[in-house]
Amino acid sequence: MHLADVALPVPLDRPFSYEIPPALAARAVPGARVVCRLGARRLVGVVLAVREGEPPRGVRPIDTVVDEIPSIPTDLLAFLRDLSSYYFAPIGQVVRLALPPMDRETEDASAEPELFQRRTGVRGPKPVAWVLATATGQTPRPLRGHASAILAHVRAMGAVPLPRLVASWPSARGAVKRLADSGLVTVEQRLAEPEPLFAETIERDTAPVLNAEQAEATRVLLAALREPVPATFLLHGVTGSGKTEVYLHAVAAARERQRGAIVLVPEIALTPQLVQRFRARFGDNVAVLHSALTPKERWTMWQRVRSGPVDVVVGARSALFAPVAKLGLIVVDEEHDPSFKQDEGVRYHARDMAILRAHRVGAIAVLGSATPSVESEQLVRAGKAKKLRLPSRARAQPMPLVEIVDLRRVPAGPTGDKRLSLPLVRAMAGALEAGEQVILFLNRRGFAPAVRCEACGEALMCPSCSVALTHHKVQGLVVRCHYCDFEEKLPSACPKCKQVNLALEGIGTEKLEDSLRLVFPKARIARLDRDVASGKRIEEVLARVRAREVDILVGTQMVTKGHDLPHVTVVGVVNADAALFMPDFRASERAFQLLVQVAGRAGRGDRPGKVLVQTYAPEHPSIQFGCQHDVAGFLDRELLDRKELGYPPFSRAALVRVEGPDESAARAGCALLAEVARRAAVERTTVVAGPSAAPLPRLRNRFRFRVMVRSVDRGHLRRVLTAVDQARGQLPRELIVVLDIDPVHLL
Ligand SMILES: [Zn+2]
Ligand SMILES: [Zn+2]
């Protein structure tokens, strides 16, 4: 009997067997979506494998096959199976990462092919009436209304779709009928042109001449593309060195060899310029996948990639799963960015998995950054990746001058607040007078990060999380939890001691903006953080900065990303210490990267840039190396520290977290898994730490405990995790167990 192993969207980590009826055999192939019964439900699954064999007892047939051609090509399917196994993630959830977006949602009894079509509105091309000019030399009789203008237009174009005429001349239908009656035009039904992928068109550009360093990096990548073997490259280019142009050349070279490319960026809304440049170079061959698309737009993009005409995909981490055929190249831009790690569901790291996917199909992976991650640097040192360097800025601008402002010594500025220190205010004033722009970076949004009672010392806390509430002024004097979005009116008195003595603590971007309005009343100030901007709004703010309608841009990490804003000459880091003292072994690395990235926004035009870094810890290595743009020095030191402490990349780590509504039950559950891990960790290579309360001990009313497992040996770590994975079933049902392999966000 023909049997199919099918991945179904259920948490059970195993495929289910179904019989393939002979009529469906041609289409029920690996990668195809099928509708199957599981108990009383009908679910959409994906065929993983097809085999001959004895049917298991009670085997049921596949109901229908959804796809004409399999949704997931075979090489992508094999990669997904590897990913599922590496992360201990159920295959049924993993395959959904690669399915077209609309269809992922249909996992119930209503899942029928016709329904997919109705939901997505995709029904194949529909015929459209085209108006064609005829060869009659006749001079037309006097024509009524817009008929003569329409006729002139049709004669000029040769043929025009009727809807386009109607868009310009609402009365076009009648006019065309009269013109056709007079034999001046003919009308015929043609299949519609495919809808354009993008609403607005963009002017095409041509590849510029590369500088010597770009040319050398490109030469190495092109040589690697000619080889059938996989390879990984770390493209280390300083901020403003022109990495994007190297990517563009590599993608063009891959396409010349009929191979597709995927370009991953941390957050697409923050990189509108990069997307524009890909579209300008490759036109309609580029699909851009991002969360602001409508489901239908996403579906259309996905469909065109799967069926072939589009072979370049630009998108955030989930674009890693785009069904690009004959993949030749994967670029991970800003590879150090922590947002490449998915933090819920299937907890994969898009950078690590990009290397794996490229490896499986003999493609090359290019990881680009001005501040390479410690992990990628170690790949180079271990001989698993080659480093390419762009050590100078593309337009020969000097790196910006960085000045440390020691907050222990420096006088406060005009507002009396040290965080707007005198040196910072003076530098800003100088830039503004010269008609230049300023960026201020502060890693806290809201008005005040905490509200504390001066009588009893208690801070206002979120009722469901162990997190202080942030005061937001702009949206009507509220306090809000940044983790669960709880919000309430700012109380007038302390909820604990009832005294009317609440004080605002600290400074967020909102307050910074307020203070700046006092100091620079004439300046045009814009703010960029998650409270004011998402998706299109981010692009708008950046466009206003670029059009010089903004003098001072205040913002969170959003301002540190790769924006190229040529008139920014002064960058202020309001509080460089915020990132330094996080409970995370990557805190130093993160602080260093933020510093170098935000400094890189300064002086990208003709005038040199200046960066002021305010800190209470000026001697901290992250600040020292950051201020000297000394990436190599920082990496040397950080790798040494990590090696001594046995942290990644010198070991592999996994986090086991147990969450539940009852504190002691969650602790007990975590203790049980810790015990299981210890028993399985027989080799001395493996360290099991915990159980302990998570750095964020309560979130959304769930108590959180964790165990960290580390091992220098991947196989040993795997054995421990397998034991934990099998034991999780013994825990009470209300406990959630999270297995996070190579964790990045340790909260
Ligand atoms: Zn109080
Ligand atoms: Zn909360």
Side-chain angles (χ1 to χ4, degrees):
M1 184 184 280
H2 259 50
L3 295 169
D5 294 332
V6 178
L8 292 175
V10 293
L12 281 180
D13 190 16
R14 64 173 176 87
F16 295 79
S17 295
Y18 287 89
E19 180 199 340
I20 304 176
L24 299 179
R27 284 163 58 219
V29 295
R33 286 173 300 155
V34 292
V35 178
C36 298
R37 282 165 204 275
L38 186 71
R41 293 191 295 167
R42 295 174 76 210
L43 299 168
V44 177
V46 172
V47 177
L48 296 176
V50 172
R51 58 195 162 86
E52 284 292 325
E54 275 300 300
R57 211 147 52 89
V59 72
R60 296 162 114 178
I62 287 172
D63 280 11
T64 43
V65 181
V66 178
D67 295 326
E68 287 301 326
I69 53 166
S71 275
I72 304 180
T74 12
D75 59 336
L76 180 53
L77 191 63
F79 161 65
L80 293 170
R81 297 187 79 165
D82 285 357
L83 188 150
S84 155
S85 148
Y86 183 78
Y87 288 109
F88 289 87
I91 184 69
Q93 286 177 22
V94 171
V95 290
R96 300 193 101 64
L97 296 170
L99 290 180
M102 278 303 279
D103 305 356
R104 265 181 225 167
E105 294 157 18
T106 41
E107 40 188 73
D108 54 21
S110 57
E112 294 288 354
E114 306 77 53
L115 194 84
F116 290 140
Q117 293 199 342
R118 237 178 303 139
R119 284 208 190 164
T120 54
V122 180
R123 252 168 256 171
K126 258 189 312 193
V128 161
W130 280 68
V131 183
L132 284 68
T134 52
T136 49
Q138 287 177 7
T139 318
R141 295 172 283 125
L143 293 165
R144 277 196 294 142
H146 294 297
S148 67
I150 291 172
L151 180 62
H153 182 69
V154 172
R155 283 187 168 165
M157 304 293 290
V160 185
L162 182 56
R164 211 175 287 164
L165 292 175
V166 175
S168 307
W169 295 280
S171 62
R173 278 178 204 285
V176 165
K177 187 166 186 313
R178 289 194 302 278
L179 291 169
D181 288 345
S182 324
L184 294 166
V185 299
T186 56
V187 178
E188 69 175 46
Q189 299 289 319
R190 291 185 181 176
L191 285 184
E193 291 174 292
E195 280 175 52
L197 281 177
F198 302 96
E200 78 285 16
T201 51
I202 186 163
E203 216 172 298
R204 294 294 289 268
D205 73 351
T206 45
V209 177
L210 300 174
N211 67 29
E213 291 159 358
Q214 289 171 318
E216 174 56 17
T218 305
R219 188 192 63 75
V220 175
L221 293 179
L222 265 48
L225 276 167
R226 281 192 289 274
E227 302 294 329
V229 290
T232 305
F233 295 91
L234 172 59
L235 177 62
H236 175 200
V238 299
T239 51
S241 60
K243 290 187 290 294
T244 307
E245 200 49 59
V246 175
Y247 304 152
L248 288 163
H249 273 76
V251 170
R255 296 191 67 233
E256 274 167 28
R257 312 187 70 80
Q258 276 77 48
R259 301 188 70 175
I262 295 175
V263 180
L264 302 180
V265 295
E267 203 174 330
I268 205 112
L270 288 170
T271 42
Q273 284 170 304
L274 182 129
V275 170
Q276 300 283 338
R277 287 176 66 185
F278 272 84
R279 289 189 53 208
R281 193 65 54 83
F282 302 113
D284 286 343
N285 296 305
V286 180
V288 179
L289 298 174
H290 58 89
S291 52
L293 294 176
T294 65
K296 186 180 170 184
E297 285 169 330
R298 277 167 156 274
W299 200 92
T300 309
M301 293 261 186
W302 184 92
Q303 198 61 29
R304 266 178 225 179
V305 176
R306 179 66 186 107
S307 56
V310 172
D311 53 9
V312 182
V313 173
V314 181
R317 61 173 179 250
S318 62
L320 172 63
F321 305 105
V324 175
K326 287 191 269 169
L327 191 60
L329 171 68
I330 307 183
V331 173
V332 185
D333 188 33
E334 310 294 348
E335 60 88 22
H336 63 276
D337 197 293
S339 72
F340 283 120
K341 178 77 187 321
Q342 170 141 308
D343 224 5
E344 52 187 23
V346 181
R347 291 163 194 268
Y348 66 92
H349 199 304
R351 175 194 63 216
D352 301 350
M353 290 300 109
I355 296 174
L356 179 66
R357 186 171 177 193
H359 199 85
R360 285 205 66 107
V361 293
I364 69 170
V366 179
L367 318 177
S369 178
T371 51
S373 64
V374 170
E375 283 84 358
S376 299
E377 174 69 15
Q378 181 54 24
L379 282 183
V380 172
R381 296 189 182 191
K384 292 176 185 158
K386 281 192 209 78
K387 192 185 268 189
L388 305 171
R389 285 188 179 81
L390 302 178
S392 46
R393 288 188 152 183
R395 278 166 283 164
Q397 310 99 322
M399 293 305 286
L401 195 72
V402 183
E403 183 184 318
I404 295 181
V405 177
D406 185 345
L407 288 177
R408 296 170 305 189
R409 301 218 169 90
V410 83
T415 60
D417 186 342
K418 278 208 168 185
R419 285 156 298 198
L420 271 181
S421 68
L422 206 54
L424 179 59
V425 169
R426 281 190 184 141
M428 292 175 72
L432 296 176
E433 262 164 45
E436 298 158 1
Q437 293 171 310
V438 175
I439 290 180
L440 287 195
F441 164 57
L442 176 61
N443 219 357
R444 283 316 252 296
R445 63 199 167 92
F447 193 83
V451 182
R452 192 176 297 277
C453 170
E454 301 217 298
C456 72
E458 287 286 316
L460 293 185
M461 299 295 287
C462 173
S464 352
C465 313
S466 38
V467 168
L469 294 172
T470 298
H471 171 48
H472 289 253
K473 194 169 149 195
V474 177
Q475 291 120 323
L477 290 182
V478 295
V479 285
R480 186 182 296 157
C481 171
H482 283 181
Y483 288 85
C484 72
D485 292 327
F486 165 84
E487 184 181 295
E488 65 178 8
K489 276 232 152 323
L490 178 67
S492 52
C494 169
K496 197 131 196 183
C497 72
K498 314 295 175 206
Q499 302 241 33
V500 187
N501 215 347
L502 292 177
L504 302 179
E505 263 187 8
I507 181 171
T509 44
E510 251 185 46
K511 184 173 179 184
L512 184 59
E513 189 186 358
D514 265 22
S515 305
L516 288 171
R517 288 193 198 286
L518 292 176
V519 182
F520 301 106
K522 286 195 205 125
R524 296 162 298 174
I525 302 172
R527 181 153 60 90
L528 194 60
D529 59 34
R530 259 196 291 150
D531 294 318
V532 290
S534 63
K536 276 265 173 262
R537 283 277 298 128
I538 298 175
E539 286 184 38
E540 280 166 33
V541 173
L542 291 171
R544 275 171 50 216
V545 178
R546 219 166 288 123
R548 305 181 80 169
E549 291 163 15
V550 169
D551 302 309
I552 305 174
L553 177 66
V554 176
T556 54
Q557 286 101 310
M558 284 187 175
V559 304
T560 68
K561 311 277 166 155
H563 320 302
D564 196 1
L565 304 166
H567 302 290
V568 173
T569 55
V570 168
V571 166
V573 179
V574 176
N575 176 12
D577 307 342
L580 282 180
F581 303 109
M582 301 290 283
D584 182 340
F585 69 87
R586 289 192 181 87
S588 294
E589 182 184 10
R590 205 57 206 114
F592 171 80
Q593 288 165 346
L594 277 171
L595 207 53
V596 174
Q597 292 287 344
V598 71
R601 299 315 114 214
R604 294 173 71 114
D606 303 329
R607 298 185 198 189
K610 185 175 183 186
V611 183
L612 290 101
V613 176
Q614 305 196 127
T615 174
Y616 284 99
E619 65 294 328
H620 192 287
S622 295
I623 303 228
Q624 286 292 329
F625 285 118
C627 290
Q628 288 150 26
H629 313 282
D630 186 358
V631 175
F634 173 79
L635 287 169
D636 280 345
R637 185 191 158 115
E638 185 65 16
L639 279 164
L640 213 63
D641 283 357
R642 298 263 186 104
K643 191 166 192 176
E644 258 170 33
L645 297 168
Y647 282 134
F650 297 99
S651 64
R652 300 247 159 193
L655 183 153
V656 182
R657 195 170 57 225
V658 179
E659 309 177 358
D662 179 73
E663 187 171 4
S664 54
R667 187 189 291 118
C670 193
L672 188 143
L673 294 186
E675 189 46 41
V676 169
R678 282 214 171 79
R679 254 183 283 130
V682 286
E683 293 90 358
R684 285 198 315 180
T685 57
T686 311
V687 182
V688 178
S692 57
L696 193 59
R698 194 162 62 105
L699 179 62
R700 295 191 176 88
N701 271 324
R702 288 210 297 255
F703 292 88
R704 300 144 53 89
F705 291 87
R706 69 175 190 179
V707 180
M708 291 288 287
V709 188
R710 270 196 342 248
S711 179
V712 290
D713 186 292
R714 216 171 118 174
H716 295 173
L717 180 68
R718 241 194 119 66
R719 194 154 58 240
V720 174
L721 294 176
T722 307
V724 170
D725 190 37
Q726 281 162 0
R728 63 207 273 183
Q730 302 170 20
L731 265 50
R733 272 179 168 267
E734 71 270 16
L735 294 183
I736 295 166
V737 179
V738 171
L739 257 184
D740 192 349
I741 317 297
D742 307 326
V744 169
H745 309 277
L746 294 177
L747 289 177

